Amino acid sequence: MNRVLVAAVSLGATLAGTSVQADAGRLPISVVPTAYDLTIDPDASNLSFTGAGTVAITVRAPIRTITLNAADLGIRDVKIDGRIPATVTLDQAAQTATFTFGEPVSAGKHTLSMAWTGKIHQSATGLFAIDYTNIDGSKDRMLATQF
């Protein structure tokens, strides 16, 4: 099993009761990621992966939801500061996940943790596989991404 450390996730949020709007295709800006500790475990032969991690975030104003980009992911075990769990709502059409917390998350520094599963694509989307033939004629597979 290969481990890949990833250092890029887009995070955004909506304020409790109001919304910090963003341009079309961009996430709201009321939550700012400041550091990432993410691990992805790809299973190239089964074209799938699992992952888990934490993201240090700065919340600019109290929130009840956080929305992030999430194409073809299953997300679970979402918590703020290891103690406030979230309900996860996936929007496949918008390719986003929204985390709704049972209590407000105060302004300030927090840690967002989560685990996920995903599909390895066979076209240049997200994490994808490229099958090729080695010089000795043996078949092999490499994984790539475009982010």
Side-chain angles (χ1 to χ4, degrees):
M1 178 182 335
N2 295 326
R3 286 192 173 255
V4 179
L5 187 61
V6 179
V9 171
S10 294
L11 285 177
T14 55
L15 294 172
T18 63
S19 175
V20 175
Q21 296 297 319
D23 296 334
R26 294 193 176 263
L27 298 175
I29 58 171
S30 54
V31 174
V32 178
T34 58
Y36 305 92
D37 183 5
L38 309 176
T39 301
I40 298 175
D41 293 313
D43 182 346
S45 61
N46 289 313
L47 296 174
S48 64
F49 62 91
T50 60
T54 59
V55 181
I57 59 174
T58 299
V59 176
R60 293 181 173 173
I63 58 168
R64 280 202 181 264
T65 64
I66 295 175
T67 298
L68 58 102
N69 294 316
D72 298 323
L73 294 176
I75 301 174
R76 66 185 188 290
D77 302 329
V78 177
K79 290 183 181 175
I80 287 281
D81 299 329
R83 64 175 188 78
I84 305 172
T87 301
V88 178
T89 304
L90 297 172
D91 183 336
Q92 297 299 333
Q95 296 183 335
T96 60
T98 299
F99 307 149
T100 304
F101 300 95
E103 61 184 80
V105 177
S106 63
K109 295 182 184 295
H110 297 278
T111 301
L112 175 66
S113 60
M114 69 192 89
W116 59 87
T117 59
K119 174 184 174 184
I120 296 174
H121 297 272
Q122 291 190 290
S123 61
T125 303
L127 181 60
F128 60 96
I130 301 171
D131 294 328
Y132 63 95
T133 303
N134 290 305
I135 198 162
D136 65 1
S138 63
K139 302 288 185 187
D140 219 337
R141 173 174 283 165
M142 71 175 168
L143 301 179
T145 188
Q146 295 183 39
F147 74 93

